[in-house]
Amino acid sequence: MEIRSVGVVGAGQMGNGIAHVMALAGYDVCLNDISQEALDKAVAQVTRNIDRQVSRGKVSQSDRDAAMARIRATLDLAEVAASDLVIEAATENEAVKHKIFEALVPKLQPHTILTSNTSSISITRLASRTDRPEKFMGFHFMNPVPVMQLVELIRGIATDQETYEACLAVVEKLGKTAASAEDFPAFIVNRILMPMINEAVYTLYEGVGNVTSIDMAMKLGTNHPMGPLELADFIGLDTCLAIMNVLHDGLADTKYRPCPLLTKYVEAGWLGRKTSRGFYDYRGEAPVPTR
Ligand code: CAA
């Protein structure tokens, strides 16, 4: 089956990135959120990011204009449901995702493939609450979506081959590369990345290093583009904590216990870049370590 139109539910950091790359690849995109303010913010963000690509010569002005014209922002879930492929990219909270699927499913076309950009939650469990487990799978982008090459494709227990192949064709049309993962907590990327980030927070918590020395050590010592604490702020500390909880609950191994310091930052509302404070304070000209 050929996908021509894509619906994206959730216009946050991931959702607007997904809308951006889908529109550039030629798909008609319907971007949905629960408030007009969130939609306006998302379209402004896509515009800023795509304009940056134009100014760096990565995208032509005419491709930019065509892509922007393909994005329709809407508060109406029924418009999203008319798409060939729907990608749910709401907050990393299972109850929220179930609610979205409950509202969406009665409005979907019979042929629509339903996917989630979840970074850790069981695809099989999410699929079981819909009317189409065989047409349901995980479609996991990395942040920042326009830059990162990888998409993780995760099949639930019931996902059929046709659905997988249709999603793989979309990844290829985006010019990205797919890694296929089995449906176990946090799949591949976050199964490996989040324990590393959590361990960096333990390293801070136990006073082995401060924010600067930990990030410096990993950037210059292992050639990572960002230190683990800088990366945690970039991903969002609430998302990091949610993923650690999925690993801890789903694999029942104490090696995945979230660091109490990570929990404390989240409880403070210091969620990283999106709230201007996390392991760094972003309110001034340059980020300042908070420990
Ligand atoms: N949209 C479009 N282009 C963007 C962009 C965006 N949102 N953000 C950055 N770019 C572009 C820049 O324009 C720049 O382009 P040129 O090469 O043409 O100049 C390029 O990306 C590099 O950006 P910068 O020069 O601003 O900054 P940088 O060199 O420090 O790179 C980075 C920034 C790409 C984010 C880099 O630091 C990096 O790769 N960091 C690690 C990111 C990472 O690990 N992401 C995965 C997180 S895990 C995840 O997402 C999974 C999950 O479920 C939690």
Side-chain angles (χ1 to χ4, degrees):
M1 150 192 188
E2 206 203 336
I3 309 275
R4 290 204 175 85
S5 55
V6 179
V8 182
V9 182
Q13 147 177 284
M14 297 306 288
N16 78 56
I18 296 168
H20 172 157
V21 297
M22 290 290 179
L24 265 183
Y27 294 102
D28 290 323
V29 177
C30 191
L31 180 61
N32 164 268
D33 209 305
I34 49 174
S35 78
Q36 190 58 45
E37 193 194 345
L39 288 177
D40 293 345
K41 232 172 110 183
V43 172
Q45 185 68 49
V46 174
T47 308
R48 263 197 306 278
N49 288 337
I50 206 166
D51 284 347
R52 183 156 57 153
Q53 290 177 308
V54 172
S55 69
R56 305 220 181 179
K58 299 233 156 141
V59 171
S60 72
Q61 185 66 40
S62 60
D63 285 351
R64 176 245 183 246
D65 294 345
M68 290 310 295
R70 282 187 205 107
I71 300 178
R72 195 169 76 253
T74 177
L75 292 169
D76 185 1
L77 215 47
E79 281 188 54
V80 176
S83 310
D84 300 325
L85 168 69
V86 173
I87 304 179
E88 171 276 317
T91 179
E92 191 67 353
N93 174 314
E94 191 164 343
V96 170
K97 292 185 189 295
H98 283 311
K99 257 196 172 156
I100 290 169
F101 292 132
E102 249 165 51
L104 198 58
V105 160
K107 302 181 173 78
L108 289 176
Q109 305 230 42
H111 74 273
T112 299
I113 292 177
L114 191 53
T115 66
S116 174
N117 180 57
T118 177
S119 43
S120 62
I121 298 168
S122 165
I123 297 304
T124 302
R125 201 161 62 232
L126 291 175
S128 72
R129 299 275 291 263
T130 73
D131 63 342
R132 60 193 68 208
E134 69 291 344
K135 286 190 182 304
F136 190 104
M137 63 182 292
F139 206 124
H140 182 213
F141 288 85
M142 307 299 131
N143 187 23
V145 178
V147 180
M148 303 301 283
Q149 181 61 33
L150 185 79
V151 176
E152 236 177 339
L153 288 181
I154 308 106
R155 273 177 273 209
I157 202 167
T159 310
D160 65 25
Q161 186 63 15
E162 200 188 345
T163 300
Y164 175 76
E165 279 166 15
C167 290
L168 184 60
V170 173
V171 175
E172 284 166 357
K173 194 166 163 190
L174 293 174
K176 296 194 184 285
T177 304
S180 189
E182 291 301 318
D183 183 25
F184 289 102
F187 323 127
I188 296 174
V189 171
N190 285 321
R191 171 79 177 260
I192 298 169
L193 177 65
M194 283 306 154
M196 185 198 72
I197 286 178
N198 194 47
E199 202 58 31
V201 186
Y202 269 112
T203 310
L204 179 66
Y205 176 64
E206 291 171 7
V208 182
N210 61 23
V211 169
T212 305
S213 59
I214 292 166
D215 276 351
M216 184 82 76
M218 295 306 287
K219 268 202 299 204
L220 302 186
T222 64
N223 263 5
H224 289 192
M226 286 178 167
L229 300 172
E230 186 189 359
L231 181 57
D233 276 358
F234 182 68
I235 293 167
L237 303 191
D238 51 343
T239 301
C240 294
L241 180 61
I243 297 171
M244 283 313 297
N245 280 325
V246 167
L247 282 168
H248 194 230
D249 296 346
L251 298 168
D253 189 327
T254 54
K255 76 177 177 181
Y256 298 114
R257 69 201 189 287
C259 179
L261 185 60
L262 179 61
T263 306
K264 190 192 274 197
Y265 270 75
V266 173
E267 284 172 351
W270 293 16
L271 307 182
R273 275 179 187 266
K274 62 185 165 191
T275 57
S276 298
R277 234 184 319 184
F279 293 113
Y280 294 84
D281 187 333
Y282 301 92
R283 291 172 300 172
E285 288 229 324
V288 178
T290 53
R291 284 179 107 77

